[in-house]
Amino acid sequence: MREDRSDMSEDDERASPSDLSLATEASSNKSRSCSVSGGGGGEYVSPYPDQVLENVLENVLLFLTSRHDRNAASLVCKSWYRVEALTRSEVFIGNCYAVSPRRVIERFGQVRSVTLKGKPRFADFNLMPPTWGANLTPWVTAMGESRCSLEKLHLKRMSVTDEDLKILAHSFPSFKELVLVCCDGFSTSGLAVIACKCRKLQVLDLTDDEVADDEVDWISCFPEGETCLESLIFDCIECPINFEALERLVARSPSLKKLSLNRYVSIAQLYHLMIQAPHLTHLGTGSFSPSEIVAPGDQELDYVSAFAASRSLVCLSGFREIIPDYLPVIYPVCPNLTCLNFSYANINAEQLRSVIRFCHKLQIFWVLDSVCDEGLQAVAATCKDLRELRVFPIDASEDSESPVTDVGFRAISEGCRKLQSILYFCQRMTNAAVIAMSKNCPDLVVFRLCIMGRHRPDHITGESMDEGFGAIVKNCKKLTRLAISGLLTDRAFNYIGQYGKLVRTLSVAFAGNSDMGLKYVLEGCPMLQKLEIRDSPFGDSGLLSGLHHYYNMRFLWMSACRLTRQGCKQIAQQMPRLVVEVINGDAEEEEKDDYVDILYMYRSLEEPRGDAPKFVTIL
Amino acid sequence: MEGGVVYESGLNLKATELRLGLPGTDESEKQTTFNIRNNKRPSPDTVEDCGSSGSSDDKHGGHETAPAAKAQVVGWPPIRSYRKNSFQAKKIEVETGIYVKVSMDGAPYLRKIDLKVYKGYPELLKALENMFKLTIGEYSEREGYKGSEYAPTYEDKDGDWMLVGDVPWDMFMSSCKRLRIMRGSEARGLGCSI
């Protein structure tokens, strides 16, 4: 749960269409000022007025942290550009193929923290072969060779190998923070190297990664003696860990605040860890059930007191294999919780109610639809401060009987007026409920509704869901991220183009009638940065209507639509700074029919990437 | 020499040939690396003009090119596999599968197989041969897997390493915790006659 990692979220702050021009500045600005700073020479030379200004600027810019502000500052003039580049320590790269490692390092020599995002989000759902790209290797190699003092690396949807981790561990002696989200390609061997070599490691955060099991006991690889660890998150690792080593590690990590265990840690083991670390603020509880072999003494463990002693706990997650009988032991921490993740906990309405009634301060809540509409009603009754809700399906298939419906949805809208972000999976929804939410929750910034059955209409009126989504874009004036579903015509897109003036991210699936739909959005939404569309009847003419805007976007994804190769080629020819990738989702080289399988295009300062696999054609 | 082995049930291997979907031939490998992509994109004219009529009948049943049982579309609903598998995998494991890890000396990573899928030793050995691209050969009580460079071994409930094939299949299935394909040189000791 990324409530404190805003830079990793898909919802960027402000759009930066100026990124492209910034970098072209770089290529024209070859001369570096021969500043009189530092260095040898005993003579005192009176500094030029410009130099004074630069020194002042340098000191002032140190306080500028937001990358959007920095981008703006760097555009003022060459001098400001130069100084800004020298003082920027955090670099954010939203698309690893938009710029090369060399260019980044050349411009930002003092970089300490790098955030890199790789694959497009639809890759998470197996829509394209896993070997598409987004390899960390060129980045980590270039940074290693440049001898920059990298301290933090945040990656999302990148392919990371064990070799990459090895280079990382050996190249940066001050390395402090490794955050990997939705990454793959590495194993426990790679983790072992990080644990062993990064002596200053404070944060090791693995979320939703695919980590291969090399049977290496990486926990034991942390060096003996006190560690600097503040955060250790490994709930996604699908292999057993050495518990004794973990216990010793926690005991010698006095700064540890965040700990998230995987499902191989039993509740008894959790107990032993909790009493070693009562100052935790974030806890992922692991399996939350007893192991098969119950050790003597496990029966009498006082779990309630362990939780009661954890007075700093504000964020609770895990419950991977929960035995609901144990749920009451968390009661002592509930009144303090601001975030609770039950999205792996198969619990019913009553069981949820017993917990949620104490959670008055809850702001972020993730849950499974097993709790039904009644469960959501209980949430609505208590959690008046709720900002973010995610309801996941326990049975993620089109024909499932989803136990949450428009009823629970409406209840939430009526009880949680401060709602800012919602992700809701269901089968039955009505326009009325969506309209109600648009009026009850005007602060909505993120609205993602997934009606799982494709093309499903309003289940009471039988109409399309156009009006519901229309109301959302009309009434929620702060909306920046939208995901639509259900039966939708071009009218819905008309609404989005007309009212969605702040929308930056739009996800479309199985929606629309014609190219007009796509046109409405491309012509109407000036802030649009990320557009991902699948299985919708949009063709070349719709695609061409966005030419004026594509340089302002991070990417466009269109799969299983009606695009032809010709149409895509036209775009490529007219827009030299766009990389237009045509991808065969089946990893074959042959084109199956006339329509393009997947179009993925993005702006870039570089020549098209050289690491594209055979099933990718760059036009 | 054929059939010098003693197994519980007489097996007609040809008749019971199972399509396991394990990587073996190139064809099956291509399938398994991406075998979930069974979604042939609906051809454009099946995506109907939904129009304004919005009739009450559920539209989503009408677009399939597949017959009665609706084909699941790839990547829909948009839930990451990890999350999907968190609930399915356990169910499958508990209800139908006996998954054990298989390692082979010299191979960089391990595999996992479901013992319940096989009816007996011949299938299992064949599958291992396909999986790791080697020949294990035939089992004999006296000489083990003589003639082969490799010998399949397993760790049983007591933590001992045993030669695959010594005990009846059912007993093997319930006591096998993991498999290891040993290099012939190490395995010779196991296969030696008394």
Side-chain angles (χ1 to χ4, degrees):
Chain A
M1 305 185 72
R2 321 217 60 79
E3 79 281 5
D4 55 348
R5 298 207 198 276
S6 52
D7 46 343
M8 292 304 287
S9 89
E10 293 292 350
D11 312 310
D12 295 329
E13 288 149 35
R14 282 133 43 200
S16 21
S18 52
D19 280 351
L20 198 70
S21 51
L22 293 178
T24 48
E25 270 278 310
S27 52
S28 60
N29 178 25
K30 288 284 190 258
S31 59
R32 306 240 162 211
S33 74
C34 43
S35 48
V36 187
S37 55
E43 289 180 26
Y44 178 74
V45 181
S46 166
Y48 299 107
D50 286 347
Q51 187 57 54
V52 172
L53 197 61
E54 265 196 27
N55 287 348
V56 169
L57 193 58
E58 204 170 310
N59 284 302
V60 168
L61 284 184
L62 285 173
F63 291 100
L64 213 59
T65 45
S66 146
R67 69 176 189 268
H68 302 289
D69 291 339
R70 281 186 159 270
N71 290 347
S74 69
L75 287 177
V76 171
C77 63
K78 282 197 175 133
S79 170
W80 279 55
Y81 177 93
R82 203 167 36 236
V83 178
E84 191 284 315
L86 284 173
T87 56
R88 189 186 297 219
S89 62
E90 289 177 15
V91 176
F92 172 89
I93 294 153
N95 175 2
C96 64
Y97 287 122
V99 68
S100 71
R102 181 194 51 83
R103 195 187 288 263
V104 173
I105 295 167
E106 268 176 21
R107 179 173 172 187
F108 302 113
Q110 299 302 311
V111 63
R112 293 274 178 278
S113 159
V114 173
T115 301
L116 268 175
K117 294 193 185 180
K119 301 182 198 183
R121 196 178 72 95
F122 274 7
D124 285 355
F125 314 124
N126 301 322
L127 288 182
M128 68 179 185
T131 50
W132 173 82
N135 302 305
L136 182 62
T137 311
W139 290 90
V140 84
T141 317
M143 288 191 288
E145 281 165 4
S146 76
R147 304 201 175 287
C148 66
S149 332
L150 191 68
E151 292 177 5
K152 301 184 189 180
L153 189 59
H154 292 209
L155 304 177
K156 188 166 187 179
R157 294 199 188 94
M158 298 285 297
S159 279
V160 180
T161 64
D162 287 341
E163 188 58 37
D164 294 335
L165 294 176
K166 196 161 138 202
I167 296 175
L168 187 67
H170 286 114
S171 305
F172 309 113
S174 317
F175 195 72
K176 289 204 281 225
E177 200 168 299
L178 182 61
V179 175
L180 302 178
V181 179
C182 299
C183 297
D184 62 5
F186 62 103
S187 72
T188 44
S189 298
L191 293 180
V193 179
I194 294 286
C196 176
K197 297 283 180 222
C198 301
R199 296 291 160 129
K200 304 239 172 90
L201 197 67
Q202 292 174 358
V203 172
L204 181 58
D205 178 347
L206 307 166
T207 299
D208 291 339
D209 305 306
E210 257 190 60
V211 185
D213 179 8
D214 245 12
E215 310 217 322
V216 168
D217 179 5
W218 59 281
I219 296 276
S220 297
C221 293
F222 283 95
E224 290 303 320
E226 222 174 72
T227 76
C228 317
L229 275 178
E230 294 172 13
S231 173
L232 180 62
I233 296 176
F234 64 93
D235 51 283
C236 63
I237 295 193
E238 284 292 296
C239 49
I241 47 125
N242 180 339
F243 179 71
E244 286 72 34
L246 178 63
E247 208 178 353
R248 285 195 303 273
L249 179 64
V250 170
R252 64 181 195 275
S253 303
S255 309
L256 197 65
K257 290 278 176 288
K258 301 184 187 181
L259 178 64
S260 185
L261 310 164
N262 70 5
R263 64 182 180 91
Y264 288 86
V265 178
S266 71
I267 193 168
Q269 291 172 328
L270 170 68
Y271 173 85
H272 291 292
L273 292 174
M274 285 181 77
I275 55 178
Q276 298 269 21
H279 303 298
L280 289 178
T281 57
H282 293 59
L283 176 64
T285 63
S287 69
F288 213 69
S289 61
S291 60
E292 282 157 21
I293 310 145
V294 181
D298 276 359
Q299 308 282 31
E300 297 96 46
L301 291 176
D302 189 354
Y303 297 107
V304 177
S305 76
F307 275 91
S310 302
R311 296 186 201 287
S312 311
L313 215 50
V314 290
C315 181
L316 201 54
S317 62
F319 309 104
R320 295 285 168 133
E321 290 166 6
I322 186 173
I323 302 282
D325 301 338
Y326 285 101
L327 211 39
V329 310
I330 73 171
Y331 289 169
V333 297
C334 289
N336 294 330
L337 288 182
T338 54
C339 81
L340 178 57
N341 181 352
F342 270 157
S343 67
Y344 290 98
N346 189 349
I347 56 176
N348 62 30
E350 205 36 59
Q351 288 155 350
L352 176 64
R353 195 196 312 270
S354 74
V355 169
I356 212 80
R357 61 198 159 126
F358 298 124
C359 301
H360 300 276
K361 285 195 191 162
L362 210 56
Q363 295 186 7
I364 300 177
F365 184 51
W366 294 16
V367 72
L368 276 182
D369 63 4
S370 59
V371 302
C372 304
D373 287 329
E374 289 78 28
L376 295 179
Q377 282 162 344
V379 174
T382 313
C383 306
K384 297 305 175 187
D385 221 12
L386 199 66
R387 310 297 161 110
E388 176 180 321
L389 174 67
R390 297 195 193 191
V391 181
F392 293 96
I394 201 170
D395 181 1
S397 66
E398 278 196 80
D399 352 307
S400 65
E401 283 297 315
S402 171
V404 298
T405 68
D406 54 290
V407 171
F409 191 81
R410 189 192 281 266
I412 290 288
S413 80
E414 284 163 5
C416 309
R417 299 297 175 111
K418 296 189 192 171
L419 203 61
Q420 293 172 0
S421 170
I422 184 162
L423 169 63
Y424 197 87
F425 285 87
C426 62
Q427 290 285 22
R428 291 143 69 90
M429 186 49 64
T430 62
N431 282 305
V434 178
I435 293 170
M437 182 166 285
S438 78
K439 295 188 176 149
N440 291 334
C441 306
D443 290 341
L444 277 174
V445 174
V446 174
F447 185 83
R448 299 160 70 190
L449 175 60
C450 182
I451 301 169
M452 292 191 280
R454 287 172 288 159
H455 306 115
R456 288 235 175 143
D458 179 318
H459 83 94
I460 290 181
T461 67
E463 289 170 352
S464 75
M465 293 300 300
D466 294 342
E467 294 309 313
F469 284 103
I472 290 288
V473 284
K474 207 183 299 185
N475 298 330
C476 302
K477 313 235 190 291
K478 304 180 190 174
L479 196 76
T480 60
R481 181 172 182 183
L482 180 63
I484 62 180
S485 62
L487 181 62
L488 293 166
T489 73
D490 287 344
R491 192 193 200 93
F493 294 92
N494 192 356
Y495 285 138
I496 295 171
Q498 207 181 339
Y499 298 106
K501 295 305 177 187
L502 295 182
V503 170
R504 291 199 302 260
T505 306
L506 179 62
S507 305
V508 177
F510 305 101
N513 310 126
S514 74
D515 282 341
M516 284 313 296
L518 185 53
K519 269 200 183 108
Y520 288 137
V521 167
L522 288 171
E523 287 171 0
C525 301
M527 302 299 269
L528 194 62
Q529 284 197 300
K530 297 181 255 184
L531 181 55
E532 43 189 30
I533 303 174
R534 65 167 293 181
D535 294 273
S536 300
F538 303 136
D540 298 338
S541 129
L543 186 66
L544 284 167
S545 64
L547 283 174
H548 66 287
H549 190 63
Y550 290 139
Y551 280 156
N552 292 335
M553 290 178 63
R554 189 179 297 170
F555 72 79
L556 169 66
W557 166 293
M558 287 178 69
S559 60
C561 297
R562 296 196 208 182
L563 300 173
T564 68
R565 215 177 165 95
Q566 279 317 105
C568 297
K569 204 158 179 74
Q570 249 188 298
I571 303 280
Q573 280 161 351
Q574 296 198 34
M575 311 204 65
R577 283 288 182 214
L578 269 192
V579 174
V580 179
E581 295 194 11
V582 167
I583 303 167
N584 187 314
D586 283 342
E588 286 161 16
E589 293 178 48
E590 309 278 303
E591 283 273 307
K592 295 193 298 286
D593 53 41
D594 297 325
Y595 290 114
V596 157
D597 211 0
I598 301 170
L599 165 71
Y600 180 56
M601 65 188 206
Y602 48 91
R603 63 184 176 192
S604 173
L605 294 172
E606 314 297 339
E607 291 301 304
R609 60 191 179 112
D611 64 354
K614 294 219 159 57
F615 53 85
V616 173
T617 311
I618 300 183
L619 296 177
Chain B
M1 164 175 117
E2 73 291 343
V5 293
V6 179
Y7 292 111
E8 300 245 321
S9 44
L11 297 165
N12 181 342
L13 297 181
K14 283 245 159 65
T16 58
E17 183 182 51
L18 298 170
R19 185 70 188 91
L20 301 167
L22 294 166
T25 62
D26 281 343
E27 181 200 277
S28 60
E29 210 157 86
K30 215 207 271 187
Q31 280 182 22
T32 45
T33 37
F34 224 50
N35 60 0
I36 32 170
R37 188 155 176 84
N38 56 6
N39 169 40
K40 285 309 168 203
R41 177 164 46 86
S43 58
D45 45 32
T46 65
V47 180
E48 289 172 14
D49 186 3
C50 303
S52 48
S53 54
S55 60
S56 57
D57 57 90
D58 196 341
K59 293 254 176 197
H60 78 271
H63 296 152
E64 299 310 321
T65 44
K70 198 144 53 106
Q72 291 292 326
V73 176
V74 170
W76 188 261
I79 298 279
R80 294 195 187 112
S81 343
Y82 177 78
R83 194 174 270 287
K84 263 191 195 164
N85 295 341
S86 291
F87 299 105
Q88 289 170 13
K90 273 193 319 242
K91 234 171 44 163
I92 292 170
E93 282 195 32
V94 164
E95 288 174 9
T96 58
I98 301 177
Y99 283 88
V100 296
K101 287 184 189 171
V102 187
S103 64
M104 175 168 104
D105 292 349
Y109 56 90
L110 285 64
R111 304 304 305 270
K112 217 165 203 181
I113 57 172
D114 177 3
L115 291 181
K116 270 206 173 164
V117 161
Y118 312 104
K119 291 230 167 66
Y121 286 116
E123 266 106 339
L124 173 65
L125 296 176
K126 191 74 199 282
L128 292 176
E129 285 182 336
N130 280 339
M131 195 180 256
F132 293 97
K133 310 248 193 309
L134 42 79
T135 18
I136 295 176
E138 298 214 356
Y139 167 87
S140 89
E141 200 176 304
R142 206 168 69 88
E143 297 184 28
Y145 292 89
K146 180 176 172 183
S148 161
E149 238 196 282
Y150 297 95
T153 65
Y154 71 99
E155 186 182 4
D156 73 358
K157 279 204 164 116
D158 304 323
D160 297 318
W161 284 92
M162 317 282 294
L163 187 69
V164 167
D166 282 343
V167 302
W169 174 252
D170 287 335
M171 190 186 294
F172 165 75
M173 271 223 296
S174 57
S175 62
C176 171
K177 273 175 44 190
R178 49 184 302 171
L179 284 158
R180 176 180 160 202
I181 300 178
M182 263 185 195
R183 273 261 151 69
S185 42
E186 282 183 59
R188 215 135 281 147
L190 290 177
C192 272
S193 53
I194 324 96

